[in-house]
Amino acid sequence: MEREHLIKICREVLSINQNGSHTMPAPDLYPHQWLWDSCFIAIGLRHYDIERAKDEIMSLLEGQWSNGMIPHMIFDPSLNYGTDRDIWRSFMSPYSPDNLSTSGITQPPIIAEAIKKVGSKLNKSDAIKFYKQVLPKLFNHHQWLMSERDPHGEGLTLQIHPWETGLDNNPVWMEQLSEHSKPWWIVAIEKLHLDGIVNVLRRDTRHVAPGQRISNVEALVMFDMIRRFRRKNYDIIKILHRSLFCIEDIGFNSILARNNKILIELAEMARVKIPKELLDMIHRQADALKKSWDKQDGNFYSKDFITGQPLQNLTISSLLPLYSGVISQDQAQRLVDQIKNYKIFGLRHPIPSVPVNNKDFDPMRYWQGPTWVNTNWLIIDGLKQYGFSEIADDIIKKTIELVEYHGPYEYFSPVDGQPLGAANFSWTAALTIDLLSQ
Ligand code: GLC
């Protein structure tokens, strides 16, 4: 297919999914605004509609809580969104905005990256104006992450819900959830095989085959966690009190480390001083990330916040330190070897979200095996940072091919390339435009 034709198809998707100042990830399945989706979308939009790219970011920042948190979802009030608002009840927190309804958890902090990429398409004085406008909010966001989410000041930030990582049913999280966060009533439902009832409440399985989504029991556990958070008014001290479940996610922290670096660059370009306390946190976070390397096994792993133990289960999150840019060349080489190895991540349509040798690998099921364009984009960026341009180009080519043959789907089978999840998915369209422009 001609490059221009593919770009046209992707732009059409972003135009259909536009909803005022933001873009829905996919209208039926995801009708609100999501944090990291909007960042990826802005990165694509900047190539042809810079004002819309800026709007995407500004509308995301409008959802920021007064404590600095940027929520992972901002609900669209024009939709019948009562159910979502009632599930979350974020108004229980004194920090949530008065004029908007949002979720009460966050998502990978990749806003600095989106801001820098959008700024690169503006002339110098407009870019500086834009950076100055957004930096105070961005400082608060990063400061919140590295204080509230690092209560012991150890460097890595903790995540309280799998949705915060953006990789919802990543096996590392699912295993911990099933061990520590399954209340008796869900165990009973599971034993009695009554979980089918949940289908009535699920929006996703109405649009996508259940074999491509999380299971009903997993959905219930995730919902139960939200109930617990809202009972505690989204107060992190209360949430952590007696919690058996909490993870310092390696993927989330890799994205933070890179965006911390970009934050410093943005502040330098705009000649805005970064608070000393924030700078210290940034260095501490990068140091802690470097130390997450498991010498024996030669991998980066997420850590159990409660026990301090590494969670040695290899998934795509363990490759995201490449994107962070803070790891050594030797460590990057080791990750590249695994990306190439056909017994691990080197499948025909790379890069699977879970390696083929993992017991939980399922090529059709959500973040449990399928290939996603956004994680490919992050890893491509990391490969380029470390000089692995040949493999980066190969992944770019194979990613574009998937979209070219099937359209901008949400995810694809790494085995046969079959399109899965939602059709006309915004970040796939936006990042394809970006990859075609590299
Ligand atoms: C799913 C994805 C998440 C994304 C959201 C909206 O929940 O796992 O990463 O942000 O959909 O597209």
Side-chain angles (χ1 to χ4, degrees), residues 63 137 147 151 221 252 255 258 310 331 336 355 367 384:
K137 285 186 167 241
S147 47
V221 175
F252 189 107
I255 293 174
R258 176 62 181 284
Q331 290 167 334
V336 170
W367 291 101
K384 287 187 172 174

Side-chain angles (χ1 to χ4, degrees), residues 97-295:
D98 295 333
N99 54 342
L100 282 170
S101 264
T102 75
S103 70
I105 57 172
T106 191
Q107 239 187 357
I110 191 164
I111 309 168
E113 171 84 274
I115 289 170
K116 186 181 160 200
K117 287 238 162 12
V118 171
S120 73
K121 292 283 180 186
L122 295 166
N123 69 43
K124 200 170 166 208
S125 71
D126 285 348
I128 291 177
K129 215 164 108 198
F130 178 49
Y131 299 154
K132 283 205 160 113
Q133 191 183 3
V134 293
L135 273 170
K137 285 186 167 241
L138 217 50
F139 284 168
N140 281 347
H141 177 49
H142 283 237
Q143 196 136 19
W144 169 79
L145 271 170
M146 290 182 287
S147 47
E148 174 152 332
R149 293 309 189 86
D150 180 17
H152 304 157
E154 290 164 329
L156 294 180
T157 62
L158 58 88
Q159 286 66 57
I160 54 176
H161 194 289
W163 289 341
E164 291 204 312
T165 70
L167 318 185
D168 307 7
N169 64 332
N170 179 315
V172 175
W173 281 80
M174 289 304 114
E175 215 167 84
Q176 291 295 307
L177 262 181
S178 158
E179 233 171 83
H180 301 297
S181 214
K182 212 187 261 178
W184 66 266
W185 59 274
I186 298 184
V187 176
I189 288 181
E190 198 176 8
K191 274 206 177 119
L192 298 170
H193 302 291
L194 291 176
D195 52 297
I197 302 171
V198 181
N199 275 326
V200 183
L201 302 168
R202 287 182 67 173
R203 181 162 51 209
D204 62 341
T205 43
R206 259 179 265 155
H207 300 284
V208 176
Q212 298 173 23
R213 310 299 291 183
I214 59 172
S215 73
N216 283 334
V217 169
E218 285 168 349
L220 275 179
V221 175
M222 294 205 192
F223 167 72
D224 180 63
M225 293 179 81
I226 306 296
R227 263 181 13 131
R228 184 168 169 269
F229 298 163
R230 71 178 193 220
R231 257 200 330 263
K232 295 176 185 263
N233 299 346
Y234 297 97
D235 178 326
I236 193 71
I237 299 185
K238 292 187 189 148
I239 290 174
L240 292 181
H241 183 63
R242 295 223 198 132
S243 169
L244 291 173
F245 173 79
C246 186
I247 292 177
E248 291 169 354
D249 187 82
I250 192 72
F252 189 107
N253 275 284
S254 299
I255 293 174
L256 175 59
R258 176 62 181 284
N259 280 263
N260 275 336
K261 279 172 120 187
I262 298 175
L263 186 65
I264 296 176
E265 286 172 36
L266 291 175
E268 274 167 4
M269 285 192 275
R271 296 178 192 257
V272 174
K273 203 168 164 356
I274 294 202
K276 161 100 177 46
E277 196 196 351
L278 179 56
L279 214 51
D280 290 345
M281 288 174 175
I282 289 178
H283 294 136
R284 195 165 59 211
Q285 199 267 348
D287 284 345
L289 184 71
K290 288 181 206 156
K291 289 190 191 131
S292 307
W293 175 249
D294 189 315
K295 284 199 200 91

Side-chain angles (χ1 to χ4, degrees), residues 14 33 73 80 95 100 202 271 394 431 434:
L14 293 174
Q33 179 170 22
M73 282 167 83
N80 178 12
Y95 303 117
L100 282 170
R202 287 182 67 173
R271 296 178 192 257
D394 184 56
L431 293 179
D434 194 59

